[in-house]
Amino acid sequence: MLKYDVLIVGAGGGGLMAALEANKNKKVKVGVITKVYPTRSHTGAAQGGINAALANVDPSDSPEVHAFDTVKGSDYLGDQDAIEFMCEEAPKRIYELEHMGVPFSRLPDGRIAQRPFGGAGFPRTCYAADKTGHVMLHTMYEQCLKEGVEFLNEWYVKELLIDNGEAKGVVAIDIRTGEVHVIKAKAIIFATGGYARVYWVRNSNAIGSTGDGIAICYRAGIPVKDIEFVQFHPTGLRSTGILVTEGARGEGGYLINNQGERFMARYAPNKMELAPRDMVARAIETEILEGRGWGEGMNAYVHLDLRHLGAKKIKERLPQIRMLAIDFEGVDPIEEPIPVRPTAHYSMGGIHVEDYKTSMTPVKGVYAVGECACVSVHGANRLGGNSLLDIVVFGKPAGAAAAEYAENMPEDTSYNYAAEEERARKEIEELLKKEGTENINDIRTEMAQTMWDKVGIFREEKPMQEAIEKIKELKERYKNLAPGDSSKLFNTALINYLELGNLLDLAEAIAVTAEMRKESRGAHARRDYPNRDDENFLKHSLAYYTEDGPKVEYTEVRITKYQPQERKY
Amino acid sequence: MEFFNLKVFRYDPTKDEKPYYQTYRLPVEKGMTVLAALFKAKEEQDPSISFRYNCRAAICGSCSVRINGHATLACKEQVTKILEKYNTDTIVVEPIGNVKPLKDLIFDFDYLLEKFKKVKPWFIPKAPPPPDGTEYRQSPYDHHKIDFASDCILCASCVSECNALKANDEYLSPFVLAKAYRFAADSRDGARKERLEAVLDHFNLEWCVRCWQCTTNCPKEVQPYESIIRLRIIAAEEGYKTPGERHAEIFEEDIKERGMLNEMLLPMKQEGLLGALKRAPFGIKMFFKGKVNIADFFGGHKVKRHEEVEKIYEKAKEKGKQVQIRIPQILGVVYEDKRKTRKRANFLDKGGNE
């Protein structure tokens, strides 16, 4: 049996940062388990940058201003002590990353360059051109290779084993061989990313961002927090949901409906296409709902027209956006408008973290960091540049805390690992033999369509109740779905099957908690309750898994010095 | 065209004796990538097809495959474009070349990771960080030298058609050398010598046959071929004599001394007595074909009118004092960013964002 003191599930930025830190404690054995190779993780897709008040560009910036911007951005749902901690730690973590070799873009004097970002009072976002996440991920992986961190690449974690309120290990499948293993671990850190894939095609995430870690913890009895909050980015490509950066509108691109109108004139006559993200996203969605878009259903879209900028400017200033449109949509923006629609982008909610200093969950020895965790520092709405920060700021202490916990934890001799392994192996064998009547694509598409139409950018009581029913029905139909492939080696059909199960559980939790939150806050916009209601809903939702659907409780938001005010920009 | 054929390489070593191809008929849809086509075939016709994927936005590097003979990322290629480009109704998808297929389109990546580790592909600082704990200073120009090279997504598209690797599986391969360049050229890095020694070992820099396949296939314009040449120049600057350089010197000496090349002694001068012995069978063959003169072994003869060669050398020496090739001039070329789509006139320019 494989045995680790600290097992890290997921090898994106959060997982690798935790691994590097845990690995410094030479008394513990650290392993990282990931369903892809580490450099394939979704952290690599983050382009814009990472926030830290280095004050390299504007000396008046400070961690306090950063904290205030984040609290306000969160629509006051973020825990202020955790936010203050994150913003204080931010400069130290940026320097640490730089000392690991991250090739940040530079100012003429050789210091790290910083640029302005939405919702920030100062140019605070450190970047490496348009590939900040990519270079961070690769640099951290390189450091792991240097330090000899042990990786289990292409392994899928299926279950978390808990006994007596303590972590015991995980059940995992070696994707390369198809073998089922129980891995014994004293401390387990989840760093498995978000769940925006519940909206399937209408999302900007990697195909593998299926919220596995969150669903695994949820089913194991750990509550998920604020799961109703999903951030939508206004411009995703029509067919894939891949992001078209804000730069396209920044350079003067127009949003056009099927009447040929620049419709933003109706929603934000002054700012037009450059209004805040959530506002632009709602405007596009309204145009489509009112029949002024092109296409039908999930394939509806409006135009992002860059043609008037001319070939020269497009090639010089927006070369990447042009390549994206050509490669992924088959459209050259010099000749045709780009078909776009909002796209689910980021999961604010996640595994309930009780203590931000260690990232420990209510279960002893189980930790969560990054997008799969909910500390909460992003509250109801995340600011651009704060997600890369989140993973390094919380990844590091989580690694140290998990190592310390494991070091002081005696070896478990009573838990029956062999029985768990036998049970899991039988389950997988049955699955491989199973005959199904459903098609994976049908269930997934119906789930995504339901979530998009009824628990998407605009939310309202009745449609959400319908969505809850629909998801329950889909969960029933899922029982009649089979992986469809019985082979052992690289059976990705089996993995896709298990991932869909995770998404369905999370979709249900999102719909239920969203229906119960009778207010509008940050990314959660209700037509029937258009205002924020601090009296009743300045609190985090906690959803507990039960066979009959989530059981929801609430917990207090921690406020230090920033009293809730109206969020206006 | 309404439909096209997706012809997929299939192989499961636990079941199949030999690889085979399976064809799936799919509708042609605007905006459909080859990766989307693979998923469509998998989810609607045959769940058993295995392939790697994740970001589907050309940044994670998982889905490198050969499409109609050329390595690229499946997520980056439009079906309509491929059909048009090859004027066909069939798209053939195979694993990339020069690697071991494990199942269907999935290949053994660990084999490449082992090569990767040989050049110590991690930052080794030259000096401790500034005393105040802030960042190492690096000028925008120095950052620019490593900017394009740090675009590598380890997709291994460059490996697929590498002719050097095909001939010699000890060859480190293009992306590994490109990564060695990324660190050797980093102004903050202190292990330039170690990295150069790693890439000079086993003639790695010399093995590159300059076929350009790596640079042509690279979906991120990392320019591995150019970085190999950059490494050669950096190695020369650092005073390393590469076998190629030694070869050129021997040529030069021979021409100066005799006006012609001494092919009998060349291997000995280049590789020493032991190295030359390995080449003896080849030399003997050449002798019997009348290609070399045995007398050359003892120094041989000079060309007629050798004094004219000497005059050319004298003239060249004179001119050499007037024309000076200074290394800093070459440097601009060494570190030039040769990306076509993303090249920026000014490296301080702000890139895109989220």
mmCIF file of all heavy atoms in Angstrom, chain B residues 59-83:
data_model
loop_
_atom_site.group_PDB
_atom_site.id
_atom_site.type_symbol
_atom_site.label_atom_id
_atom_site.label_comp_id
_atom_site.label_asym_id
_atom_site.label_seq_id
_atom_site.Cartn_x
_atom_site.Cartn_y
_atom_site.Cartn_z
ATOM 1 N N ILE B 59 -2.539 25.961 -23.912
ATOM 2 C CA ILE B 59 -1.606 26.427 -22.901
ATOM 3 C C ILE B 59 -1.137 25.290 -21.988
ATOM 4 O O ILE B 59 -0.096 25.403 -21.351
ATOM 5 C CB ILE B 59 -2.199 27.616 -22.088
ATOM 6 C CG1 ILE B 59 -1.151 28.262 -21.176
ATOM 7 C CG2 ILE B 59 -3.408 27.187 -21.265
ATOM 8 C CD1 ILE B 59 -0.088 29.014 -21.875
ATOM 9 N N CYS B 60 -1.868 24.169 -21.940
ATOM 10 C CA CYS B 60 -1.453 23.118 -21.002
ATOM 11 C C CYS B 60 -0.507 22.108 -21.640
ATOM 12 O O CYS B 60 0.244 21.439 -20.946
ATOM 13 C CB CYS B 60 -2.663 22.416 -20.390
ATOM 14 S SG CYS B 60 -3.407 21.156 -21.421
ATOM 15 N N GLY B 61 -0.554 21.987 -22.969
ATOM 16 C CA GLY B 61 0.401 21.113 -23.652
ATOM 17 C C GLY B 61 0.078 19.626 -23.607
ATOM 18 O O GLY B 61 0.915 18.802 -23.932
ATOM 19 N N SER B 62 -1.151 19.257 -23.215
ATOM 20 C CA SER B 62 -1.493 17.834 -23.096
ATOM 21 C C SER B 62 -1.718 17.143 -24.431
ATOM 22 O O SER B 62 -1.378 15.981 -24.581
ATOM 23 C CB SER B 62 -2.790 17.667 -22.294
ATOM 24 O OG SER B 62 -2.657 18.176 -21.012
ATOM 25 N N CYS B 63 -2.358 17.847 -25.365
ATOM 26 C CA CYS B 63 -2.979 17.150 -26.506
ATOM 27 C C CYS B 63 -2.140 17.134 -27.771
ATOM 28 O O CYS B 63 -2.699 17.101 -28.867
ATOM 29 C CB CYS B 63 -4.367 17.719 -26.779
ATOM 30 S SG CYS B 63 -4.329 19.429 -27.353
ATOM 31 N N SER B 64 -0.795 17.120 -27.638
ATOM 32 C CA SER B 64 0.013 17.067 -28.854
ATOM 33 C C SER B 64 -0.189 15.727 -29.552
ATOM 34 O O SER B 64 -0.112 14.665 -28.920
ATOM 35 C CB SER B 64 1.483 17.283 -28.527
ATOM 36 O OG SER B 64 1.866 16.418 -27.484
ATOM 37 N N VAL B 65 -0.482 15.792 -30.838
ATOM 38 C CA VAL B 65 -0.688 14.603 -31.670
ATOM 39 C C VAL B 65 -0.155 14.927 -33.061
ATOM 40 O O VAL B 65 0.185 16.066 -33.352
ATOM 41 C CB VAL B 65 -2.188 14.237 -31.810
ATOM 42 C CG1 VAL B 65 -2.750 13.684 -30.513
ATOM 43 C CG2 VAL B 65 -3.010 15.419 -32.292
ATOM 44 N N ARG B 66 -0.090 13.896 -33.884
ATOM 45 C CA ARG B 66 0.245 14.145 -35.284
ATOM 46 C C ARG B 66 -1.052 14.218 -36.064
ATOM 47 O O ARG B 66 -1.851 13.289 -36.024
ATOM 48 C CB ARG B 66 1.052 12.979 -35.827
ATOM 49 C CG ARG B 66 2.499 13.291 -36.051
ATOM 50 C CD ARG B 66 3.121 12.066 -36.700
ATOM 51 N NE ARG B 66 4.560 12.200 -36.758
ATOM 52 C CZ ARG B 66 5.373 11.163 -36.812
ATOM 53 N NH1 ARG B 66 4.879 9.930 -36.807
ATOM 54 N NH2 ARG B 66 6.663 11.331 -36.881
ATOM 55 N N ILE B 67 -1.262 15.314 -36.753
ATOM 56 C CA ILE B 67 -2.453 15.453 -37.583
ATOM 57 C C ILE B 67 -1.998 15.476 -39.037
ATOM 58 O O ILE B 67 -1.202 16.344 -39.413
ATOM 59 C CB ILE B 67 -3.232 16.728 -37.222
ATOM 60 C CG1 ILE B 67 -3.692 16.656 -35.760
ATOM 61 C CG2 ILE B 67 -4.427 16.919 -38.166
ATOM 62 C CD1 ILE B 67 -4.352 17.906 -35.253
ATOM 63 N N ASN B 68 -2.465 14.513 -39.799
ATOM 64 C CA ASN B 68 -2.020 14.329 -41.184
ATOM 65 C C ASN B 68 -0.501 14.474 -41.303
ATOM 66 O O ASN B 68 0.021 15.178 -42.167
ATOM 67 C CB ASN B 68 -2.757 15.293 -42.119
ATOM 68 C CG ASN B 68 -4.212 14.886 -42.285
ATOM 69 O OD1 ASN B 68 -4.756 14.167 -41.449
ATOM 70 N ND2 ASN B 68 -4.842 15.313 -43.358
ATOM 71 N N GLY B 69 0.190 13.829 -40.378
ATOM 72 C CA GLY B 69 1.645 13.753 -40.467
ATOM 73 C C GLY B 69 2.406 14.850 -39.767
ATOM 74 O O GLY B 69 3.625 14.811 -39.703
ATOM 75 N N HIS B 70 1.711 15.872 -39.252
ATOM 76 C CA HIS B 70 2.424 16.967 -38.605
ATOM 77 C C HIS B 70 2.044 17.114 -37.152
ATOM 78 O O HIS B 70 0.862 17.152 -36.809
ATOM 79 C CB HIS B 70 2.155 18.286 -39.345
ATOM 80 C CG HIS B 70 2.689 18.271 -40.738
ATOM 81 N ND1 HIS B 70 3.987 18.574 -41.034
ATOM 82 C CD2 HIS B 70 2.085 17.932 -41.912
ATOM 83 C CE1 HIS B 70 4.177 18.429 -42.334
ATOM 84 N NE2 HIS B 70 3.045 18.050 -42.892
ATOM 85 N N ALA B 71 3.059 17.234 -36.291
ATOM 86 C CA ALA B 71 2.785 17.339 -34.866
ATOM 87 C C ALA B 71 2.251 18.719 -34.527
ATOM 88 O O ALA B 71 2.772 19.727 -34.998
ATOM 89 C CB ALA B 71 4.060 17.077 -34.073
ATOM 90 N N THR B 72 1.212 18.745 -33.715
ATOM 91 C CA THR B 72 0.639 20.004 -33.254
ATOM 92 C C THR B 72 -0.304 19.707 -32.092
ATOM 93 O O THR B 72 -0.392 18.571 -31.644
ATOM 94 C CB THR B 72 -0.098 20.733 -34.398
ATOM 95 O OG1 THR B 72 -0.562 21.995 -33.924
ATOM 96 C CG2 THR B 72 -1.276 19.908 -34.906
ATOM 97 N N LEU B 73 -0.986 20.734 -31.596
ATOM 98 C CA LEU B 73 -1.956 20.515 -30.527
ATOM 99 C C LEU B 73 -3.331 20.279 -31.147
ATOM 100 O O LEU B 73 -3.790 21.081 -31.963
ATOM 101 C CB LEU B 73 -2.015 21.734 -29.609
ATOM 102 C CG LEU B 73 -0.710 22.123 -28.920
ATOM 103 C CD1 LEU B 73 -0.872 23.432 -28.168
ATOM 104 C CD2 LEU B 73 -0.265 21.017 -27.967
ATOM 105 N N ALA B 74 -3.996 19.220 -30.730
ATOM 106 C CA ALA B 74 -5.306 18.901 -31.301
ATOM 107 C C ALA B 74 -6.319 19.998 -31.016
ATOM 108 O O ALA B 74 -7.240 20.238 -31.787
ATOM 109 C CB ALA B 74 -5.811 17.571 -30.746
ATOM 110 N N CYS B 75 -6.137 20.714 -29.887
ATOM 111 C CA CYS B 75 -7.126 21.719 -29.503
ATOM 112 C C CYS B 75 -6.988 22.989 -30.323
ATOM 113 O O CYS B 75 -7.832 23.861 -30.281
ATOM 114 C CB CYS B 75 -7.009 22.053 -28.017
ATOM 115 S SG CYS B 75 -5.558 23.017 -27.583
ATOM 116 N N LYS B 76 -5.882 23.105 -31.048
ATOM 117 C CA LYS B 76 -5.574 24.367 -31.720
ATOM 118 C C LYS B 76 -5.925 24.321 -33.205
ATOM 119 O O LYS B 76 -5.841 25.331 -33.893
ATOM 120 C CB LYS B 76 -4.064 24.608 -31.554
ATOM 121 C CG LYS B 76 -3.594 26.013 -31.803
ATOM 122 C CD LYS B 76 -2.130 26.127 -31.395
ATOM 123 C CE LYS B 76 -1.556 27.474 -31.761
ATOM 124 N NZ LYS B 76 -1.149 27.550 -33.164
ATOM 125 N N GLU B 77 -6.278 23.131 -33.692
ATOM 126 C CA GLU B 77 -6.484 22.990 -35.135
ATOM 127 C C GLU B 77 -7.961 22.892 -35.487
ATOM 128 O O GLU B 77 -8.674 22.053 -34.971
ATOM 129 C CB GLU B 77 -5.754 21.740 -35.649
ATOM 130 C CG GLU B 77 -4.251 21.798 -35.456
ATOM 131 C CD GLU B 77 -3.581 22.936 -36.227
ATOM 132 O OE1 GLU B 77 -4.022 23.234 -37.360
ATOM 133 O OE2 GLU B 77 -2.633 23.539 -35.686
ATOM 134 N N GLN B 78 -8.380 23.741 -36.408
ATOM 135 C CA GLN B 78 -9.752 23.716 -36.884
ATOM 136 C C GLN B 78 -9.927 22.613 -37.927
ATOM 137 O O GLN B 78 -9.144 22.509 -38.871
ATOM 138 C CB GLN B 78 -10.084 25.065 -37.534
ATOM 139 C CG GLN B 78 -10.165 26.215 -36.551
ATOM 140 C CD GLN B 78 -11.458 26.171 -35.761
ATOM 141 O OE1 GLN B 78 -12.533 25.928 -36.300
ATOM 142 N NE2 GLN B 78 -11.343 26.383 -34.465
ATOM 143 N N VAL B 79 -10.984 21.827 -37.759
ATOM 144 C CA VAL B 79 -11.269 20.750 -38.705
ATOM 145 C C VAL B 79 -11.392 21.294 -40.131
ATOM 146 O O VAL B 79 -10.775 20.775 -41.067
ATOM 147 C CB VAL B 79 -12.557 20.003 -38.277
ATOM 148 C CG1 VAL B 79 -13.122 19.174 -39.409
ATOM 149 C CG2 VAL B 79 -12.269 19.132 -37.058
ATOM 150 N N THR B 80 -12.155 22.376 -40.310
ATOM 151 C CA THR B 80 -12.374 22.910 -41.662
ATOM 152 C C THR B 80 -11.052 23.324 -42.318
ATOM 153 O O THR B 80 -10.828 23.079 -43.495
ATOM 154 C CB THR B 80 -13.325 24.124 -41.635
ATOM 155 O OG1 THR B 80 -12.866 25.017 -40.615
ATOM 156 C CG2 THR B 80 -14.754 23.718 -41.336
ATOM 157 N N LYS B 81 -10.188 23.911 -41.510
ATOM 158 C CA LYS B 81 -8.892 24.367 -42.041
ATOM 159 C C LYS B 81 -8.041 23.191 -42.509
ATOM 160 O O LYS B 81 -7.377 23.246 -43.537
ATOM 161 C CB LYS B 81 -8.112 25.125 -40.960
ATOM 162 C CG LYS B 81 -8.683 26.486 -40.642
ATOM 163 C CD LYS B 81 -7.809 27.582 -41.248
ATOM 164 C CE LYS B 81 -8.501 28.930 -41.203
ATOM 165 N NZ LYS B 81 -8.688 29.418 -39.834
ATOM 166 N N ILE B 82 -8.033 22.103 -41.713
ATOM 167 C CA ILE B 82 -7.205 20.934 -42.059
ATOM 168 C C ILE B 82 -7.718 20.306 -43.359
ATOM 169 O O ILE B 82 -6.946 19.976 -44.255
ATOM 170 C CB ILE B 82 -7.270 19.868 -40.934
ATOM 171 C CG1 ILE B 82 -6.812 20.458 -39.607
ATOM 172 C CG2 ILE B 82 -6.480 18.638 -41.300
ATOM 173 C CD1 ILE B 82 -5.360 20.380 -39.319
ATOM 174 N N LEU B 83 -9.051 20.185 -43.442
ATOM 175 C CA LEU B 83 -9.627 19.563 -44.641
ATOM 176 C C LEU B 83 -9.261 20.371 -45.880
ATOM 177 O O LEU B 83 -8.934 19.829 -46.932
ATOM 178 C CB LEU B 83 -11.152 19.456 -44.496
ATOM 179 C CG LEU B 83 -11.647 18.545 -43.366
ATOM 180 C CD1 LEU B 83 -13.163 18.638 -43.217
ATOM 181 C CD2 LEU B 83 -11.230 17.094 -43.612
#
